Amino acid sequence: MFAVRVYPEGTHFIIPWFERPTIYDVRARPHLVESTSGSRDLQMVKISLWVLTRHVPDQLSTVYRTLGTNYNERVLPSIIHETLKVVVAQFNASQLITQRE
């Protein structure tokens, strides 16, 4: 099995048929997540959240080996939805409306 190496920006040589590059964009990318969650007073709240995510270059080989190339679509929505539900459940619906930023 070949070792997974992370190369910095620039020109690099590969051996055709044996090595395949997997190119990641390490810039911060926005993701819009919409969720319906219950508030503390049990009213349903529809909320939209913009989340900025980016890859950590030193951890790309671990992410690639364990989660694959499309981990943004597989892992991030579940983490964001659970965190959003926990935070929204701490407030009443009226507090969410008056204190939104």
Side-chain angles (χ1 to χ4, degrees), residues 33 53-55 63 65 72:
V33 178
T53 61
R54 67 178 186 88
H55 298 284
V63 169
R65 272 188 262 126
N72 283 345

Side-chain angles (χ1 to χ4, degrees), residues 1-94:
M1 179 165 188
F2 294 103
V4 178
R5 291 174 281 187
V6 177
Y7 295 106
E9 296 178 39
T11 304
H12 303 284
F13 297 102
I14 61 169
I15 301 170
W17 298 287
F18 295 108
E19 295 179 325
R20 287 185 215 121
T22 303
I23 299 172
Y24 283 94
D25 187 6
V26 294
R27 295 179 291 179
R29 295 191 164 255
H31 297 279
L32 176 63
V33 178
E34 294 182 356
S35 179
T36 303
S37 180
S39 63
R40 186 173 18 163
D41 55 353
L42 302 177
Q43 291 187 20
M44 295 307 290
V45 177
K46 184 176 179 184
I47 191 164
S48 298
L49 177 69
W50 280 98
V51 179
L52 286 175
T53 61
R54 67 178 186 88
H55 298 284
V56 178
D58 298 336
Q59 299 295 321
L60 279 177
S61 62
T62 306
V63 169
Y64 177 72
R65 272 188 262 126
T66 57
L67 301 173
T69 57
N70 63 346
Y71 87 96
N72 283 345
E73 292 84 24
R74 291 176 40 202
V75 176
L76 288 180
S78 62
I79 294 171
I80 293 169
H81 284 291
E82 290 302 316
T83 306
L84 189 60
K85 287 182 181 190
V86 169
V87 172
V88 169
Q90 296 174 0
F91 298 96
N92 292 331
S94 60

